[in-house]
């Protein structure tokens, strides 16, 4: 097992009635003037926002609300939030929503703690030295931002979707009430489940194969949990226990626990391929991942057929003894599972049309940062590889 540092400082408050504890939690973590950040309306419609605000009032915490976050959160709204936060002397960010709202709140929190332009972090021109404290009330099990150290923002001027990673932005607390996810549209539920599984697969397929039996065993067990529970939440959206399994697995999938011992790395090529799709076509993140994963897996399978065979046998229940045959059967079985959730498994299904060769080239050029970087660690992929995967994913 390789050396590691595991840092997961977020206090998780899991279960019904969590919203009523937000005021006390915010006060305990030092919030005196809070920016309550939310999305396009679901938190208002469900009454959650009112519950959160009431809780803040009862704890004597001053706050202001700032909504309007869209999926693939935009830099322009982040900048507006920074202006507002500065004007009002905000000292704490409270995100009420999903990954997009939490990521937007993280970006505002960075922006309020720095002098320059916050996009400099996402365009890798600067490193954050500080970040305002944050808390989250999670409404969708998906991105894992509630316990992760990253945030992903889309620059609406350029269409670039870029991530920034630093432990500074980890939430102080995350309130997770599975019943808040009952109202999710099926496509968002499925997309979220896909993202959760992908966060595990990105870490599972790392160079060097099995580096930690503990990490592998946990990952395989949690993936099996997701196979069962993703189907249950699609069939019965108000199955509290299935929603709870998915929500908790979503946090465990992305708080770095599953990469301890394997060098704290993963492959992440599919995420990079998806971020380009999100920036260009504004697709749901999980759906974008589902559309590229099968093509990616078949493209790289020969790099480590044994690893793919382990996934096939331990997770997908494939009985084949020959590695390459098992590997391909495992990829096909996972693809079929994604399809059974209603996810697109190629770009034509994702976008409703076949993309042109010119678009393939544009995606690969953007994803490779104009040919300046490779992505992936299992098999590093250059611009030509990226183009080939997008092409095969059509
Ligand atoms: O805006 P509202 O009205 O709230 O609607 C949202 C949104 O349309 C809706 N929704 C959320 N909770 C709901 C609900 N609708 C009904 N009932 C509820 N309880 O769902 C839609 C999607 O929300 P979003 O926050 O975009 O979903 P998700 O959590 O999947 O976040 C996706 C974003 O996170 C980034 C993705 O790239 C994408 O931008 N990621 C962030 C990561 C991180 N910070 O660690 C890692 C991930 O890999 C990912 O890249
Ligand atoms: Zn993801």
């Amino acid at each position: 097992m390789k050396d590691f540092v595991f840092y997961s400082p977020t206090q998780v408050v899991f279960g019904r009635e969590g919203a009523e504890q937000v005021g006390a939690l915010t006060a305990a973590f030092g919030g005196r003037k809070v920016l309550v950040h939310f999305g396009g309306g679901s938190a208002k419609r469900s009454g959650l926002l009112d519950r959160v605000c009431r809780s803040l009032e009862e704890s004597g915490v001053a706050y202001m609300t700032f909504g309007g976050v869209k999926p693939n959160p935009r830099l322009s709204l982040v900048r507006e939030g920074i202006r507002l936060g500065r004007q009002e002397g905000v000292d704490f960010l409270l995100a009420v929503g999903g990954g997009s709202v939490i990521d937007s709140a993280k970006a505002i929190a960075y922006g309020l703690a720095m002098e320059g332009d916050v996009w400099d972090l996402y365009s890798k021109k600067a490193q954050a030295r500080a970040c305002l404290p944050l808390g989250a009330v999670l409404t969708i099990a998906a991105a894992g931002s509630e316990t992760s150290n990253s945030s992903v923002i889309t620059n609406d001027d350029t269409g670039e979707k870029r991530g920034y990673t630093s432990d500074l932005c980890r939430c102080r607390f995350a309130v997770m009430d599975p019943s808040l996810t009952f109202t999710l549209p099926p496509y968002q539920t499925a997309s979220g489940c896909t993202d959760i599984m992908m966060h595990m697969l990105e870490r599972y397929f790392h160079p060097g194969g099995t580096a930690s039996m503990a990490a592998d065993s946990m990952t395989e067990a949690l993936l099996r949990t997701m196979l069962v529970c993703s189907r249950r939440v699609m069939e019965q959206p108000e199955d509290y226990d299935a929603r709870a399994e998915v929500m908790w697995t979503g946090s465990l999938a992305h708080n770095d626990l599953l990469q301890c011992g394997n060098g704290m790395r993963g492959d992440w090529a599919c995420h990079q391929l998806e971020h380009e799709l999100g920036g260009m076509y504004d697709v749901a993140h999980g759906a974008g991942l589902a559309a590229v994963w099968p093509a990616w897996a078949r493209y790289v399978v020969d790099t480590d057929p044994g690893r793919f065979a382990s996934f096939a046998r331990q997770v997908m229940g494939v009985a084949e003894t020959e590695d390459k045959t098992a590997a391909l059967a495992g990829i096909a079985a996972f693809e079929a599972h994604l399809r059974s959730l209603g996810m697109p498994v190629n770009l034509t299904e994702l976008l409703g049309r076949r993309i042109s060769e010119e678009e393939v080239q544009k995606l690969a050029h953007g994803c490779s940062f104009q040919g300046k970087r490779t992505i992936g660690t299992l098999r590093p992929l250059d611009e030509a590889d990226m183009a080939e995967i997008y092409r095969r994913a059509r």
Side-chain angles (χ1 to χ4, degrees):
M1 194 186 284
K2 293 183 181 151
D3 298 349
F4 62 86
V5 174
F6 177 56
Y7 180 66
S8 187
T10 306
Q11 179 174 334
V12 172
V13 178
F14 197 94
R16 297 181 200 262
E17 319 300 331
E20 278 60 47
Q21 298 179 49
V22 167
L25 284 163
T26 305
F29 282 102
R32 299 287 173 267
K33 183 75 193 274
V34 180
L35 188 82
V36 180
H37 203 28
F38 61 98
S42 74
K44 257 191 181 166
R45 282 194 300 278
S46 66
L48 174 64
L49 201 62
D50 286 344
R51 290 169 65 197
V52 166
C53 292
R54 211 175 306 127
S55 176
L56 289 168
E57 281 158 23
E58 282 168 10
S59 295
V61 177
Y63 68 90
M64 57 189 300
T65 56
F66 178 52
V69 180
K70 292 186 184 139
N72 295 317
R74 312 298 200 270
L75 178 62
S76 53
L77 193 82
V78 167
R79 287 187 171 139
E80 209 182 313
I82 295 168
R83 264 196 307 276
L84 194 65
R86 217 160 252 152
Q87 195 181 301
E88 300 291 328
V90 160
D91 62 10
F92 195 97
L93 271 290
L94 184 61
V96 181
S100 295
V101 174
I102 301 173
D103 286 4
S104 184
K106 285 178 174 178
I108 294 172
Y110 279 129
L112 285 172
M114 70 189 274
E115 297 205 334
D117 180 12
V118 72
W119 184 249
D120 287 350
L121 304 179
Y122 295 86
S123 56
K124 315 285 180 277
K125 284 196 200 126
Q127 286 290 330
R129 290 207 203 93
C131 182
L132 250 55
L134 300 111
V137 181
L138 188 64
T139 63
I140 170 172
S145 185
E146 68 281 2
T147 56
S148 85
N149 60 355
S150 52
S151 61
V152 189
I153 298 296
T154 296
N155 183 329
D156 24 3
D157 288 335
T158 63
E160 292 165 297
K161 182 175 173 179
R162 300 286 180 260
Y164 183 68
T165 299
S166 153
D167 282 330
L168 292 169
C169 77
R170 294 210 190 242
C171 291
R172 301 295 161 98
F173 67 83
V175 165
M176 293 192 227
D177 173 357
S179 67
L180 293 176
T181 65
F182 289 173
T183 51
L184 279 167
Y187 192 76
Q188 291 297 341
T189 295
S191 194
C193 288
T194 303
D195 194 20
I196 292 168
M197 293 187 280
M198 290 298 165
H199 291 162
M200 296 193 265
L201 294 178
E202 296 275 25
R203 291 177 167 92
Y204 190 79
F205 291 105
H206 60 84
T210 310
S212 159
M213 198 192 291
D216 279 2
S217 310
M218 285 191 280
T219 304
E220 288 158 359
L222 289 174
L223 278 165
R224 289 194 298 270
T225 302
M226 283 304 298
L227 288 181
V228 173
C229 293
S230 57
R231 205 161 334 235
R232 267 172 59 192
V233 293
M234 292 307 289
E235 285 162 7
Q236 292 177 28
E238 301 205 2
D239 181 334
Y240 179 88
D241 286 328
R243 288 285 192 185
E245 299 281 1
V246 168
M247 194 175 235
W248 182 224
T249 304
S251 295
L252 294 175
H254 206 35
N255 76 345
D256 295 343
L257 174 70
L258 303 180
Q259 63 194 30
C260 294
N262 74 7
M264 294 312 272
R265 57 201 306 219
D267 184 77
W268 299 106
C270 288
H271 266 70
Q272 301 309 318
L273 293 165
E274 189 290 323
H275 285 174
E276 218 46 43
L277 293 169
M280 249 173 91
Y281 304 111
D282 201 16
V283 294
H285 172 62
L289 290 168
V292 294
W293 191 85
W296 168 84
R298 292 186 178 106
Y299 191 73
V300 304
V301 63
D302 286 327
T303 311
D304 194 349
R307 189 70 174 160
F308 278 91
S310 295
F311 163 70
R313 295 185 190 115
Q314 303 300 330
V315 179
M316 303 311 300
V318 170
E320 286 288 345
T321 51
E322 197 274 319
D323 274 1
K324 177 75 186 283
T325 314
L328 292 175
I331 293 168
F334 189 66
E335 182 180 38
H337 181 75
L338 294 174
R339 185 164 261 149
S340 78
L341 299 179
M343 283 286 96
V345 294
N346 56 54
L347 295 177
T348 301
E349 289 177 10
L350 177 71
L351 301 169
R353 65 178 177 85
R354 189 177 160 82
I355 60 167
S356 64
E357 178 57 27
E358 200 187 352
E359 287 172 284
V360 164
Q361 299 292 344
K362 195 171 169 205
L363 283 165
H365 200 56
C367 189
S368 66
F369 293 179
Q370 290 72 45
K372 290 196 208 74
R373 69 159 181 174
T374 60
I375 58 168
T377 53
L378 182 73
R379 174 176 159 190
L381 305 166
D382 63 15
E383 185 175 348
D385 294 312
M386 296 174 210
E388 189 53 24
I389 293 172
Y390 284 127
R391 202 173 286 122
R392 291 185 190 189
R394 279 194 289 184

